[in-house]
């Protein structure tokens, strides 16, 4: 798999055969709010969460992957400290 950056900032383009998968990498509250605005009109939102717990007794959320139609996004909860807009959107 080859990774190409279209600019110095994410999104990155992953080339998988002849398919192109564009995604946004969300690292700020402003970017998260923009993403939630875009997702608000989606009929279906799929998401997957990843946790780490090697050094703690409680798991820590470290990644949220989102897919909704043509929207593909990854939220970094270690950088975006307030994820509530996303949780409210899917509630």
């Amino acid at each position: 798999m080859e990774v190409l950056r279209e600019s110095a900032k994410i999104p990155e383009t992953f080339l998988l055969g002849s398919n192109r998968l564009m995604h946004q990498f969300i690292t700020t509250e402003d970017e998260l709010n923009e993403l939630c605005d875009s997702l608000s009109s989606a009929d279906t939102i799929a998401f997957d969460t990843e946790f780490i717990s090697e050094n703690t007794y409680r798991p820590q959320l470290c990644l949220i992957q989102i897919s909704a139609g043509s929207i593909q996004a990854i939220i970094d909860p270690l950088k975006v400290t307030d994820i509530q807009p996303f949780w409210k959107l899917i509630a």
Side-chain angles (χ1 to χ4, degrees):
M1 177 176 10
E2 180 183 357
V3 178
L4 302 175
R5 292 185 186 266
E6 292 186 353
S7 67
K9 186 176 175 173
I10 308 294
E12 294 177 337
T13 303
F14 290 88
L15 299 176
L16 305 173
S18 62
N19 297 326
R20 292 175 61 127
L21 175 62
M22 295 291 296
H23 72 273
Q24 298 171 286
F25 191 62
I26 308 300
T27 59
T28 69
E29 281 77 13
D30 288 340
E31 291 172 340
L32 178 63
N33 289 327
E34 289 177 26
L35 174 65
C36 289
D37 287 344
S38 297
L39 292 171
S40 66
S41 62
D43 293 330
T44 304
I45 299 172
F47 71 97
D48 178 45
T49 56
E50 304 293 335
F51 292 84
I52 53 175
S53 62
E54 287 87 18
N55 299 320
T56 65
Y57 290 107
R58 293 187 220 184
Q60 180 181 13
L61 181 62
C62 66
L63 184 74
I64 304 170
Q65 302 168 77
I66 302 164
S67 179
S70 64
I71 299 171
Q72 310 293 321
I74 297 172
I75 301 172
D76 183 348
L78 301 176
K79 292 188 178 182
V80 181
T81 56
D82 182 12
I83 307 293
Q84 288 304 312
F86 178 69
W87 299 135
K88 287 179 182 178
L89 176 69
I90 62 171

